[in-house]
Amino acid sequence: MGDDDDLVLDRLIHEPGRLAILTVLSSVQDADFIFLQRATRLTKGNLSSHLSRLEEAGLVTIEKRFVRKKPNTNLALTALGRERIARHWEQLDRLRDTTRFTREPAED
C-alpha cells in the first residue's frame, strides 16, 4: 500500500453515524443500546441500522439478553473494530498533516 492509499478513508467507518458509534465504543469496554443512543444522538432505527452494518462487517458484537427481566442489548467493539477505528483516526491525522504548511512571516 502506497502513501496515497494511506489517505483513502474507510467509507464504512467514515459515515458520521458509524464514526460516532465506533468512537464511543472505543472509549469503553462495552455499552448498552440506550447509553449508545444517548451518546450518539441517533434515533433507535438509525442506530439499529448502523449497528447491523457494523456487526456484518465484524466490527461490533451485539448481545441481546435480559437484565432483571427486561430486555437489554449490549454492544462492544471486536478486536478488528478497535484496530479499524484506530487506523481511521490515524488516517485522519495523516490527512490533516498533509494539508498543513508553514508560511513565511510577512515582511513589514
Side-chain angles (χ1 to χ4, degrees), residues 34-104:
I34 300 299
F35 171 83
L36 193 56
Q37 183 185 12
R38 288 179 181 154
T40 61
R41 297 181 180 217
L42 295 170
T43 64
K44 286 181 183 180
N46 206 352
L47 179 56
S48 292
S49 176
H50 286 309
L51 287 170
S52 293
R53 187 104 188 261
L54 293 169
E55 182 182 41
E56 288 169 10
L59 304 184
V60 300
T61 59
I62 300 174
E63 179 189 352
K64 295 184 183 272
R65 60 190 180 182
F66 285 89
V67 175
R68 294 184 193 96
K69 298 184 181 183
K70 291 184 179 181
N72 177 273
T73 302
N74 195 59
L75 311 149
L77 284 183
T78 63
L80 177 62
R82 287 197 182 278
E83 176 185 314
R84 292 211 16 215
I85 189 64
R87 186 178 336 137
H88 186 76
W89 284 112
E90 289 167 6
Q91 287 174 307
L92 286 174
D93 285 342
R94 282 195 299 276
L95 184 60
R96 181 191 61 217
D97 291 344
T98 63
T99 62
R100 290 185 178 162
F101 59 92
T102 46
R103 289 187 184 196
E104 296 288 324

Side-chain angles (χ1 to χ4, degrees), residues 27-39:
S27 67
V28 296
Q29 184 174 351
D30 58 27
D32 72 12
F33 187 91
I34 300 299
F35 171 83
L36 193 56
Q37 183 185 12
R38 288 179 181 154

